[in-house]
Amino acid sequence: MAETVAFDPVDLQILRLLQNDARTTYRDLAAQVGVAPSTCLDRVARLRRSGVILGRELRLDPAKLGRGLEALLSVQLRPHRRELVGPFVERIRALSESRALFHLAGPDDYLVHVAVADTADLQRLVLDEFTSRREVARVETRLIFQQWSCGPLLPPARDGSAAS
Amino acid sequence: MAETVAFDPVDLQILRLLQNDARTTYRDLAAQVGVAPSTCLDRVARLRRSGVILGRELRLDPAKLGRGLEALLSVQLRPHRRELVGPFVERIRALSESRALFHLAGPDDYLVHVAVADTADLQRLVLDEFTSRREVARVETRLIFQQWSCGPLLPPARDGSAAS
DNA sequence: GCTGAAACGAGTCCTAG
DNA sequence: CTAGGACTCGTTTCAGC
């Protein structure tokens, strides 16, 4: 859980390359980073053990799966107590329409990123799964016109001024 | 760009498995789906060509990379004209702190998901990259307490009532 | 379009430096 | 920790169904 402070340039380069394609072979990885394939294998195994690498996921096109409409739902819970929060979160996560869920600081307690077929589907989702729930005090829906993923989350980009 | 309506149960199962681990071998895939490895290879190639599979990405832990604090920034642009939008989007996407960017319908034009080191870093980011820009009329910052990823985006879950 | 086997190439382990 | 080699296993192709 702590910040695993030590990352070689080699580690970072490996992460960068794997972010572009998680299926890059260790051979290619090795060639591009400048170490032996077996070393790459070792590095990646260590990175996995350290917890930096949480998984290798497929990025899919929601539109191609009949989910051409995406939206963000700001949800405000009524009492916002722990007993309500757990079940609410689990229910939302289990919805096939949910893509991501955030617990936020601020007036809106939760933000839910959903992908649906069309506006009728969105209306159904909001009515049946959100506003009909007792603990949900308010839901604000914002359509997503367009979205972009932003670079590879690397590097930390620090100078020598790291306060450990 | 259109909805590629046709997906076998085999295709869907393959997508489901690859979502859990994009590096699942075609051999394992075949064993779990119930077809030959060569068929899996063929299916995946077709899925890639169809555009459903956009990429194989690594999921990393931001905290382990010195980015333990995440936030959502709601940004309102002043005139919100096309000439301003393009450069703004490109600049935000290029920031190493940005994780995702959404163009929204509603009073807040953009939502930016950022990952930073600490509150000081967040303040610097907001001041230097957002409020200092002429086209940015307002920025609202909401911290992320916790976040969850939500299931594998599959299946479309439709009955026979598909209107082609 | 799916299968199975065979050839090729990559992943993995081990030993040594 | 890294490199190189050898063995194992996965991927890919192709002929046949």
Side-chain angles (χ1 to χ4, degrees):
Chain A
M1 186 135 289
E3 335 249 320
T4 319
V5 280
F7 285 117
D8 291 18
V10 173
D11 287 329
L12 292 174
Q13 183 72 359
I14 287 174
L15 288 175
R16 218 183 311 265
L17 289 168
L18 283 177
Q19 283 229 332
N20 292 333
D21 185 0
R23 212 152 180 165
T24 307
T25 64
Y26 294 105
R27 200 166 158 276
D28 287 355
L29 225 51
Q32 292 184 65
V33 174
V35 294
S38 50
T39 305
C40 272
L41 184 73
D42 211 33
R43 292 298 191 109
V44 172
R46 217 179 314 157
L47 287 169
R48 299 207 80 192
R49 258 184 278 112
S50 80
V52 202
I53 297 178
L54 296 172
R56 290 87 60 103
E57 288 181 343
L58 225 54
R59 197 158 52 86
L60 299 180
D61 184 351
K64 291 272 166 60
L65 290 162
R67 301 283 183 72
L69 187 66
E70 295 188 57
L72 296 177
L73 309 180
S74 295
V75 179
Q76 203 169 347
L77 294 193
R78 210 176 320 223
H80 200 202
R81 281 177 301 154
R82 274 204 177 270
E83 318 116 59
L84 293 176
V85 160
F88 172 78
V89 166
E90 284 316 310
R91 182 75 191 98
I92 299 306
R93 289 191 68 189
L95 292 174
S96 72
E97 290 88 354
S98 299
R99 297 201 61 186
L101 173 61
F102 300 90
H103 184 197
L104 301 177
D108 294 320
D109 302 315
Y110 289 90
L111 189 84
V112 193
H113 178 187
V114 299
V116 294
D118 46 40
T119 50
D121 198 20
L122 181 60
Q123 183 185 34
R124 177 197 57 74
L125 182 73
V126 171
L127 289 176
D128 292 357
E129 299 294 344
F130 289 88
T131 56
S132 70
R133 293 177 70 91
R134 296 199 157 213
E135 67 269 32
V136 172
R138 215 196 54 163
V139 178
E140 191 183 334
T141 303
R142 280 169 295 169
L143 294 185
I144 296 173
F145 286 143
Q146 197 175 1
Q147 60 184 300
W148 299 265
S149 55
C150 298
L153 183 55
L154 291 167
R158 289 290 193 83
D159 303 272
S161 62
S164 65
Chain B
M1 186 134 288
E3 335 250 317
T4 320
V5 280
F7 286 117
D8 291 20
V10 173
D11 287 329
L12 291 174
Q13 183 73 359
I14 286 174
L15 288 176
R16 218 182 313 263
L17 290 167
L18 284 178
Q19 283 227 331
N20 293 333
D21 184 0
R23 212 150 180 166
T24 307
T25 64
Y26 294 106
R27 197 168 159 275
D28 288 355
L29 225 51
Q32 291 184 66
V33 174
V35 294
S38 49
T39 305
C40 273
L41 184 73
D42 212 31
R43 292 298 191 110
V44 172
R46 216 179 314 157
L47 288 169
R48 300 208 79 193
R49 257 183 279 114
S50 80
V52 201
I53 297 178
L54 296 172
R56 290 87 59 102
E57 287 181 344
L58 226 53
R59 196 158 51 87
L60 299 180
D61 184 351
K64 292 272 166 58
L65 290 164
R67 303 281 184 73
L69 187 66
E70 295 188 57
L72 296 177
L73 309 180
S74 295
V75 180
Q76 203 169 347
L77 294 193
R78 211 175 320 223
H80 199 203
R81 282 177 299 154
R82 274 203 177 270
E83 317 116 58
L84 293 175
V85 160
F88 173 78
V89 165
E90 285 316 309
R91 182 77 191 95
I92 299 306
R93 290 191 67 189
L95 291 174
S96 71
E97 289 88 355
S98 298
R99 298 202 61 188
L101 174 61
F102 300 91
H103 185 196
L104 301 177
D108 294 320
D109 302 316
Y110 288 91
L111 190 85
V112 193
H113 178 187
V114 298
V116 294
D118 47 39
T119 49
D121 199 20
L122 182 59
Q123 184 186 32
R124 177 198 57 73
L125 183 72
V126 171
L127 290 177
D128 291 356
E129 299 293 345
F130 289 87
T131 57
S132 69
R133 293 177 69 90
R134 296 200 157 210
E135 67 270 34
V136 172
R138 215 196 56 164
V139 177
E140 191 182 333
T141 304
R142 280 169 295 169
L143 293 185
I144 297 172
F145 286 142
Q146 198 175 0
Q147 60 185 300
W148 299 266
S149 55
C150 297
L153 182 55
L154 291 167
R158 289 289 194 83
D159 303 272
S161 63
S164 65

